[in-house]
């Protein structure tokens, strides 16, 4: 019965999160703050990971595409498709589930145990709406930009490390990344990104919001949020892929 | 004025608050006292709706708070200021932002008017010029005073204080007590303080409820408390040898 209890409580929380705000201007300021905190704050990590992973994907593709029947530009093509379809939207979202998700759960959890959430409630503020809604909306807004940047940097990283390591030719790589481009793949990737952003922020916030006890429980909430987010992202990834690509 | 009538609260099989009734008067410092774990903080949390009561009535100026819908409770809560045991200041905000927060949320004051109000509140709690400090940079006493400034920022009708002196030295405790008492008189606020600090009781206790094992065991004021023949109250008040010797008991 416990999963049903949590699912029910999660949706009850979402109902409170999306009820009418007390003051639109204050909420909008929070939204802008969260864009900076959750989005811009993750840019450095995403950039580093994307460049290096792009390089690894390219080198691995070159290592595997040994058949003379496979043209060399397929390395660029394969790298682009791997990054656009899976690495940037899914793997980067998994990384964000670790970074942003644990951050949200521990921040809100600490606010809970230090009575800051009670303080909001007593002021007559819908604490769930004030704390969680700006985070959800900010992540759903900024993550598609982050993932798009990740795509470009991943493909660029592939070029950089592929060419300098001698795994592929610059000309053929560039030809490869320009070939057989399907715009719908971007729609698919960004759809996944927005859904994952919602999951990461709302599930983490749920775990933080219902923390009780002390520092140990905040740590547990943070860990739980990462675990549940990761599992949910993988399941939802499969569902969206089936719905949109097959 | 706030009245509580026959309120009860159970957590699992523990009956924590048993049929408690009391009237908290406006313009007075109303104290809820008792041993640790007797249920006094629970009574406070029931009164502000952080826990739901099992039965009874909580009347804010005659309106039953416990029977209100969440939206209606939020309206009443806008008239409440609360000083939490740990201060509960928002870590990510400066002192000024903390005090300004209820003003930003619920008033249509101009930026200048808000700044004036924030400075007035900080001056009132003797924190002038500390506007840009973060809660982590404040001492325990300063945190309590800052939280008090935030609690009074929006001119509350009701002020709740959960153990305002806990963890403070005697001198700072007296400052906090005097501040709360002065503010109560100045703005005719209904102030409810949960404490087990006997100095506070003797200094500012105008209307006192002694809670024992979840029940309202005794009521009176600071003059009556020292001469009460209630055994449990006597044991609580004169727990230390110093108190017994000082008052010749």
């Amino acid at each position: 019965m416990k999963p049903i209890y949590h699912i029910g409580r999660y949706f009850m929380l979402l109902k409170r999160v999306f009820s009418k705000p007390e003051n639109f201007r204050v909420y909008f300021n929070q939204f802008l703050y969260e864009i900076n905190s959750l989005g811009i704050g993750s840019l450095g990590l995403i950039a580093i990971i994307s460049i290096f992973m792009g390089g690894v994907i390219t080198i691995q593709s070159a290592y595997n595409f040994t058949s003379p029947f496979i043209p060399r530009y397929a390395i660029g093509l394969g790298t682009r498709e791997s990054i656009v379809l899976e690495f940037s939207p899914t793997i980067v979202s998994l990384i964000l589930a670790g970074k942003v998700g644990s951050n949200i759960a521990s921040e809100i959890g600490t606010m809970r145990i230090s009575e800051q959430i009670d303080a909001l409630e007593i002021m007559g503020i819908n604490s769930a709406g004030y704390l969680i809604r700006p985070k959800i909306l900010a992540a759903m807004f900024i993550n598609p930009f982050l993932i798009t940047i990740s795509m470009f940097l991943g493909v660029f990283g592939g070029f950089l490390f592929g060419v300098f390591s001698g795994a592929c030719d610059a000309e053929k790589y560039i030809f490869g990344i320009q070939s057989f481009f399907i715009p719908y793949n971007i729609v698919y990737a960004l759809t996944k990104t927005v859904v994952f952003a919602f999951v990461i922020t709302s599930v983490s916030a749920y775990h933080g919001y219902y923390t009780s006890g002390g520092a140990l429980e905040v740590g547990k909430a943070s860990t739980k949020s990462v675990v549940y987010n990761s599992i949910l992202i993988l399941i939802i990834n499969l569902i969206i892929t089936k719905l949109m690509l097959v | 004025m706030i009245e509580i009538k026959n309120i009860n609260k159970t957590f699992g099989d523990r009956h924590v608050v048993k049929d408690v009734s009391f009237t908290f008067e406006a313009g007075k410092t109303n104290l809820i006292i008792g041993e640790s774990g007797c249920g006094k903080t629970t009574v406070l949390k029931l009164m502000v709706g952080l826990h739901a009561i099992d039965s009874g009535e909580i009347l804010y100026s005659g309106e039953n708070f416990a029977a209100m819908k969440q939206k209606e409770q939020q309206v009443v809560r806008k008239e409440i200021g609360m000083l939490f045991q740990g201060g509960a200041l928002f870590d990510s905000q400066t002192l000024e932002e903390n005090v300004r927060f209820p003003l930003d949320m619920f008033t249509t004051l101009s930026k200048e008017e808000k700044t004036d109000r924030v400075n007035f509140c900080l001056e009132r709690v003797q924190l002038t010029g500390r506007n840009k400090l973060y809660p982590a940079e404040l001492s325990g006493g300063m945190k309590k005073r800052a939280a008090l400034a935030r609690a009074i920022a929006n001119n509350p009708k009701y002020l709740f204080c959960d153990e305002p002196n806990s963890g403070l030295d005697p001198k700072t405790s007296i400052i906090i007590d005097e501040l709360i008492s002065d503010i109560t008189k100045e703005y005719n606020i209904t102030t409810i303080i949960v404490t087990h600090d006997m100095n506070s009781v003797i200094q500012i206790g105008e209307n006192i409820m002694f809670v024992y094992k979840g029940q309202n065991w005794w009521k009176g004021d600071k003059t009556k408390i020292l001469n009460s023949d209630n055994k449990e109250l006597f044991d609580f008040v004169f727990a230390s040898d110093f108190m017994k010797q000082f008052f010749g008991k």
Side-chain angles (χ1 to χ4, degrees), chain B residues 55-69:
Chain B
S55 63
E57 287 182 338
I58 298 164
L59 304 169
Y60 281 77
S61 306
E63 298 287 321
N64 190 0
F65 181 75
M68 290 177 187
K69 289 177 183 166

Side-chain angles (χ1 to χ4, degrees), chain A residues 16 19-20 22-23 25-27 33 110-111 114-116 118-126 130, chain B residues 45 48 50 70 74 77-78 80 82 84-86 88-91 93 101-102 104-106 114 150:
Chain A
R16 284 190 64 204
S19 62
K20 193 182 165 205
E22 293 84 5
N23 185 322
R25 195 175 48 78
V26 173
Y27 275 65
Y33 171 81
T110 305
M111 288 186 80
S114 61
E115 296 181 312
Q116 292 175 51
D118 290 345
L120 284 168
E121 287 291 333
I122 284 169
M123 283 180 203
I125 295 163
N126 171 7
Y130 174 74
Chain B
K45 289 188 172 177
V48 294
L50 286 177
Q70 199 175 12
Q74 279 185 332
R77 281 172 169 171
K78 285 172 194 169
I80 292 176
M82 183 150 174
F84 284 87
Q85 202 171 339
L89 294 167
F90 304 129
D91 297 326
Q93 298 180 355
F101 185 78
D104 284 337
M105 214 62 176
F106 299 119
K114 284 178 193 167
R150 185 180 66 183

Side-chain angles (χ1 to χ4, degrees), chain A residues 81-100:
Chain A
E81 290 302 287
S82 301
I83 286 170
V84 168
L85 290 173
E86 203 54 27
F87 169 73
S88 288
T90 308
I91 306 301
V92 171
S93 289
L94 280 170
I95 291 161
L96 286 176
K99 183 187 178 287
V100 173

